[in-house]
């Protein structure tokens, strides 16, 4: 087997030779800058670098810089030589280190998601990093960097094929990259519009108005100066969101939901729907004007990362219309567990009171939530629990029954006085925190018992960790490709603007 082939035979293989340079280019630039700055300045001034005085610091800087650079290059070569990976016995293993050796491994049937990450320099060299998210890995998620892009895609396809149950696990068989069907593309114009109409923009405008008024009333310009850090921070947040959300594309495939995005640094995620623990659909007030929503998900491993990184990796849809929300929900929850999914999910997104059978906060407790009591509610289908809340900032949370890990009832003194309680569902860490707000005490207790029974039953029916094991491999593509046609009776035309 050549280096360009995928490691499916159980042998150990090395990453691409350019990998340590892609990872450590910043250190090389820092060394050259620190030791070469004096030489560069002398060249600009027209002075020679090597003079008669041996005590002159320039020759020593050049010699020291050359030695440090050689050491750095040597460490890069050793790092590459001692970094190897293997796919065998149901595991992917990565060995690193020549002084302090380390081995990380991930069980294929515990793989939650696989990302292909391409920083700007890696894109120039045609390389990519594979990131394996495993249910119990936490901060120790396995990373394999860097491989050629085609090789990374092939290895990802092989691992996901086995994790999903559409491959037999043979160490001598490569799984070809599964076909895909692009179902969603986010136009840049809509992404920009969503940033302009975001909550951050609203508050910065209010702050600007307040600063101008205070400056006029007090005849002091100091209040306007306070806006500068906020504007700089907002600009950074805008750029990060635009850079990460640019060219957002969603596709469906037998190995999962494929998400691609990024302007400078690109990322390709493959999230098996069966690994998603919870879903949250939100709608900020200003987005209601254009009927836009966003979707976040909880996936084991994603919530353990830095907040800014996890925010984008857990985004299933940065901004989309209702028809696109329905489509993405149908991919996450292929069986909605109700004969009227359009009516039920619409009631969850925009409904009030008992629309579609939602049970809401009793009227006696309206004073605890004067604006939201008619929205706060729950509805259980055969496959998921839907939690609805928020009158201005609308929110709908879906938790598949088998993903309910534990539950807790909360009731403070004031809630006890009005006869209501909150029910909290615990899933993996992430942006989705399922919570039923201010349900009648008897209904909250009843839901607690019923949901525990639903979770036990659903977990018994989930007989395999391989989320596609129950589908015939030859029909897996057809199952996913034909699915969007059955999403909704009033599917809207794709938005290209």
């Amino acid at each position: 087997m050549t280096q360009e082939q995928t490691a499916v035979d159980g042998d150990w293989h090395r990453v691409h030779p350019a990998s340590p340079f892609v990872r450590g280019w910043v250190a090389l630039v820092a060394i050259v800058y620190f030791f070469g700055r004096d030489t560069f300045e002398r060249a600009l001034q027209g002075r020679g670098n090597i003079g008669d005085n041996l005590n002159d610091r320039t020759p020593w800087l050049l010699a020291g810089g050359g030695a440090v650079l050689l050491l750095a290059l040597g460490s890069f070569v050793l790092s590459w030589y001692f970094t190897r990976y293997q796919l065998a016995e149901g595991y992917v293993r990565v060995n690193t280190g020549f002084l302090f050796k380390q081995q990380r491994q991930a069980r294929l049937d515990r793989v939650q998601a696989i990302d292909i990450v391409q920083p700007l320099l890696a894109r120039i060299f045609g390389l990519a990093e594979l990131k394996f998210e495993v249910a119990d890995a936490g901060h120790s998620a396995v990373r394999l960097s860097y491989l050629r892009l085609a090789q990374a895609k092939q290895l990802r396809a092989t691992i996901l094929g086995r994790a999903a149950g559409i491959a037999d696990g043979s160490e001598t068989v490569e799984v070809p990259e599964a076909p895909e069907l692009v179902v969603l593309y986010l136009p840049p114009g809509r992404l920009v519009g969503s940033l302009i109409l975001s909550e951050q923009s609203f508050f910065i405008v209010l702050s600007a108005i307040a600063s101008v008024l205070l400056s006029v009333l007090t005849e002091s310009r100091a209040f306007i100066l306070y806006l500068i850090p906020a504007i700089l921070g907002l600009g950074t947040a805008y750029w990060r969101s635009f850079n990460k959300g640019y060219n957002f594309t969603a596709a469906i495939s037998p190995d999962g939901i494929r998400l691609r995005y990024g302007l400078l640094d690109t990322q390709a995620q493959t999230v098996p729907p069966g690994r998603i623990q919870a879903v949250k659909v939100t709608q900020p007030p200003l987005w209601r004007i254009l009927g836009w929503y966003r979707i976040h998900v909880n996936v084991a491993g994603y919530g353990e990362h830095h907040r800014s990184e996890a925010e984008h990796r857990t985004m299933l849809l940065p901004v989309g219309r209702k028809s696109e929300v329905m489509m993405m929900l149908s991919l996450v929850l292929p069986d909605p567990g109700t004969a009227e999914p359009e009516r039920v999910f619409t009631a969850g997104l925009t409904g009030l009171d008992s629309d579609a059978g939602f049970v809401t906060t009793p009227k006696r407790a309206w004073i605890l939530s004067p604006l939201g009591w008619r929205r706060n509610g729950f509805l259980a289908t055969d496959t998921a629990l839907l939690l609805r809340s928020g009158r201005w900032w609308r929110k709908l949370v879906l938790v598949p029954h088998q993903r309910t890990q534990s539950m807790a009832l909360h009731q403070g003194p004031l809630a006890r006085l009005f006869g209501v309680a909150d029910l909290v569902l615990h899933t993996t860490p992430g942006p989705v925190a399922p919570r039923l707000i201010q349900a009648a005490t008897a209904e909250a207790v009843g839901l607690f018992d019923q949901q525990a029974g639903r979770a036990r039953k659903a977990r018994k029916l989930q007989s395999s960790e391989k989320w596609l094991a129950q589908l015939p491999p030859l029909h897996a593509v057809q199952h996913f490709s034909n699915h969007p046609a059955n999403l909704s009776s009033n599917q809207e035309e794709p938005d290209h603007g």
Side-chain angles (χ1 to χ4, degrees), residues 73-122:
L73 293 176
S75 67
F76 283 0
V77 172
L78 289 174
S79 173
W80 165 78
Y81 184 81
F82 285 97
T83 299
R84 300 183 301 165
Y85 67 96
Q86 178 196 53
L87 184 62
E89 302 172 353
Y91 287 86
V92 56
R93 299 183 178 93
V94 180
N95 283 354
T96 57
F98 58 94
L99 289 181
F100 301 96
K101 295 184 180 296
Q102 183 181 60
Q103 182 183 90
R104 291 184 178 180
Q105 65 180 20
R107 274 177 49 186
L108 299 187
D109 61 356
R110 300 293 288 169
V111 170
Q112 301 292 308
I114 300 181
D115 299 353
I116 292 182
V117 183
Q118 282 190 288
L120 184 58
L121 191 61

Side-chain angles (χ1 to χ4, degrees), residues 321-323 490-495:
R321 294 184 172 182
K322 178 187 169 185
S323 61
N490 345 345
Q491 183 91 355
E492 299 178 18
E493 291 297 324
D495 177 28

Side-chain angles (χ1 to χ4, degrees), residues 16 33 84 120 144 155 209 214 241 252 347 420:
H16 193 276
Y33 172 77
R84 300 183 301 165
L120 184 58
L144 186 56
L155 184 57
I209 294 173
L214 289 173
S241 298
I252 51 177
V420 294

Side-chain angles (χ1 to χ4, degrees), residues 216-289:
V216 171
L217 294 176
T218 60
E219 297 182 355
S220 172
R221 297 182 180 178
F223 294 101
I224 296 180
L225 296 178
Y226 295 152
L227 284 176
I228 295 178
I231 293 174
L232 292 176
L234 185 65
T236 302
Y238 277 170
W239 165 249
R240 184 169 57 246
S241 298
F242 181 79
N243 182 42
K244 292 293 185 180
Y246 184 81
N247 201 33
F248 183 92
T249 303
I252 51 177
S253 171
D255 56 19
I257 304 172
R258 296 181 181 174
L259 307 177
R260 297 186 181 90
Y261 51 86
L263 178 60
L264 298 181
D265 300 341
T266 63
Q267 188 156 328
Q269 295 177 231
T270 301
V271 182
R275 303 303 198 199
I276 293 177
Q277 310 291 315
V279 185
K280 178 176 67 174
V281 185
T282 56
Q283 185 182 52
L286 294 179
W287 285 18
R288 293 173 63 174
I289 302 171

Side-chain angles (χ1 to χ4, degrees), residues 305-433:
H305 295 277
H306 188 271
R307 181 177 177 182
S308 61
E309 180 184 3
E311 178 183 357
H312 296 287
R313 298 183 71 195
T314 58
M315 188 85 71
L316 193 64
L317 179 62
V319 52
R321 294 184 172 182
K322 178 187 169 185
S323 61
E324 295 163 337
V325 170
M326 294 294 184
M327 177 182 60
M328 298 305 287
L329 290 180
S330 71
L331 301 181
V332 174
L333 196 67
D335 178 10
T338 174
E340 299 178 302
E342 173 76 15
R343 178 168 173 261
V344 168
F345 290 134
T346 298
L349 294 173
T350 62
L352 293 173
D353 299 323
S354 58
D355 291 350
F358 272 85
V359 180
T360 59
T361 299
K363 190 174 182 180
R364 64 177 180 271
W366 71 270
I367 196 170
L368 298 178
S369 182
L371 296 179
W373 71 275
R374 296 175 62 192
R375 274 277 301 168
N376 301 336
F378 71 92
L379 172 66
T381 71
D382 292 341
T383 56
L385 180 64
L386 281 63
L387 305 177
R388 187 182 72 182
S389 62
R391 186 67 176 270
W392 292 104
W393 275 268
R394 291 172 174 170
K395 181 169 69 173
L396 172 66
V397 173
L398 295 87
V399 182
H401 294 322
Q402 69 270 23
R403 299 305 175 191
T404 302
Q405 297 183 359
S406 62
M407 294 178 291
L409 282 170
H410 293 185
Q411 187 182 53
L414 197 58
R416 192 178 303 114
L417 178 64
F418 286 93
V420 294
D422 291 2
L423 176 64
V424 179
L425 280 73
H426 303 136
T427 68
T428 56
V432 187

